[in-house]
Amino acid sequence: MSEEYPPTGDPIEADYRPLSIAAVASVAFGLTAFLTLINQALVIFPLLALAFAAYAYLRIQNSDQPLDGTRLILIGVAMTVFVTSTGLTYGICRDNRMYGYARQHAEHWFDLIQKKDFFRLHQLTIHPESRVNVNRDDHLAAFYDENFVLARPRDGDPEKPVDQLKELLQTDPVVSLLHMGDRVTLRFIGRDTRSYFRQLDREVFSVVFEMNPSPYQRRQPMVFGLMLERRRFPAPVNVQWRVTQRKYISGGPDQELIISSQ
């Protein structure tokens, strides 16, 4: 009787295929795709994930040595596409909402000019930490009293809110709107995304308006951008907005006018 011997060689080793490093890299960069939810400028990470996935797929298909990693590629691509599309959609929706708020605050600021509500007008240009309760007329009157001093520096004249208010009333667009009255119309025409700025707890948005006719006797309407700062404070203050700067675009003097220090 002849004896049967088991076949030589390990079947597990025979089926083993090395894992593609590029496929692993695609999954690793896919895991970092969520960073686009924090900052859209980090979109480079999901792009790297897709690039490594494409490279790994080509290597697996064309390599002389069998490679494994197809499932990792699918997982990395699916994760990257889902997280990136979610982040970009969230970013677009948030931008539309934030610029909508900026427009509302800018138009409210214009309304205060036309109503000659100068106390509340100035309150929207100063830092929220320095504001008073705008719903209390007595608080506003005391804040803008000639004898009230906001700060008394060691060198120089003391800072008085009433002096800051007088300075504001001598700048555009306040002067132009008060001078032209009902003859002028303001129209929102868009946003200036190039002026967007973000730092820690604050963001700056710029919305663009058209003033017709131009207060500078130009043939074309004056187009200008109004920059508004959004800051987040601890509760109960939470989010606060303020008008910071106005930038002429066309139909006005060739300069930028600082409404309030940043």
Side-chain angles (χ1 to χ4, degrees):
M1 177 180 290
S2 62
E3 297 183 358
E4 294 183 0
Y5 295 93
T8 59
D10 191 344
I12 298 179
E13 291 185 1
D15 293 339
Y16 173 76
R17 291 186 297 174
L19 188 62
S20 171
I21 298 177
V24 177
S26 69
V27 174
F29 281 110
L31 290 173
T32 63
F34 76 93
L35 294 175
T36 56
L37 297 173
I38 303 173
N39 190 340
Q40 294 184 20
L42 299 178
V43 70
I44 183 65
F45 290 107
L47 291 179
L48 287 173
L50 295 178
F52 274 105
Y55 175 73
Y57 179 77
L58 293 176
R59 283 295 306 273
I60 292 174
Q61 295 297 317
N62 302 322
S63 177
D64 295 334
Q65 179 184 8
L67 294 175
D68 197 7
T70 304
R71 292 183 179 180
L72 285 180
I73 294 174
L74 295 176
I75 293 173
V77 170
M79 185 166 48
T80 301
V81 172
F82 173 76
V83 176
T84 304
S85 59
T86 301
L88 293 178
T89 302
Y90 168 79
I92 293 172
C93 294
R94 184 184 183 278
D95 284 349
N96 290 334
R97 187 171 70 254
M98 291 300 106
Y99 277 102
Y101 289 150
R103 175 186 176 182
Q104 292 177 10
H105 284 82
E107 291 176 342
H108 174 61
W109 197 69
F110 295 141
D111 289 339
L112 293 176
I113 297 175
Q114 294 174 336
K115 294 177 181 178
K116 299 183 179 181
D117 192 348
F118 300 137
F119 290 168
R120 292 178 175 83
L121 176 74
H122 180 254
Q123 287 288 307
L124 287 179
T125 66
I126 63 178
H127 288 279
E129 302 97 321
S130 303
R131 295 177 185 172
V132 297
N133 187 353
V134 295
N135 297 320
R136 294 285 301 270
D137 292 339
D138 54 339
H139 288 192
L140 289 170
F143 187 77
Y144 293 102
D145 186 87
E146 290 285 350
N147 298 321
F148 180 75
V149 177
L150 184 62
R152 192 178 297 276
R154 294 182 179 180
D155 301 325
D157 298 330
E159 299 179 5
K160 295 183 177 181
V162 66
D163 294 336
Q164 298 175 0
L165 173 60
K166 292 177 181 178
E167 182 180 354
L168 174 65
L169 297 180
Q170 296 174 358
T171 62
D172 254 341
V174 182
V175 174
S176 297
L177 288 175
L178 292 176
H179 174 69
M180 303 189 72
D182 296 335
R183 293 179 297 163
V184 68
T185 58
L186 283 173
R187 184 173 68 91
F188 172 77
I189 60 176
R191 62 182 74 171
D192 183 9
T193 55
R194 296 171 300 177
S195 301
Y196 174 79
F197 175 79
R198 182 173 184 175
Q199 183 181 30
L200 296 178
D201 62 343
R202 74 187 187 108
E203 296 175 274
V204 176
F205 301 89
S206 182
V207 285
V208 183
F209 291 86
E210 178 188 81
M211 183 182 294
N212 191 20
S214 172
Y216 296 97
Q217 298 180 351
R218 304 286 180 88
R219 293 183 178 180
Q220 59 179 347
M222 184 177 72
V223 179
F224 64 95
L226 201 65
M227 300 179 69
L228 297 99
E229 178 190 78
R230 178 184 184 270
R231 291 188 64 185
R232 180 176 295 277
F233 293 87
V237 180
N238 296 324
V239 175
Q240 293 290 328
W241 290 78
R242 75 182 182 103
V243 179
T244 60
Q245 187 175 352
R246 172 218 172 142
K247 179 180 180 181
Y248 297 103
I249 298 178
S250 64
D254 299 328
Q255 62 176 337
E256 291 186 5
L257 187 145
I258 304 297
I259 297 175
S260 176
S261 61
Q262 300 234 25

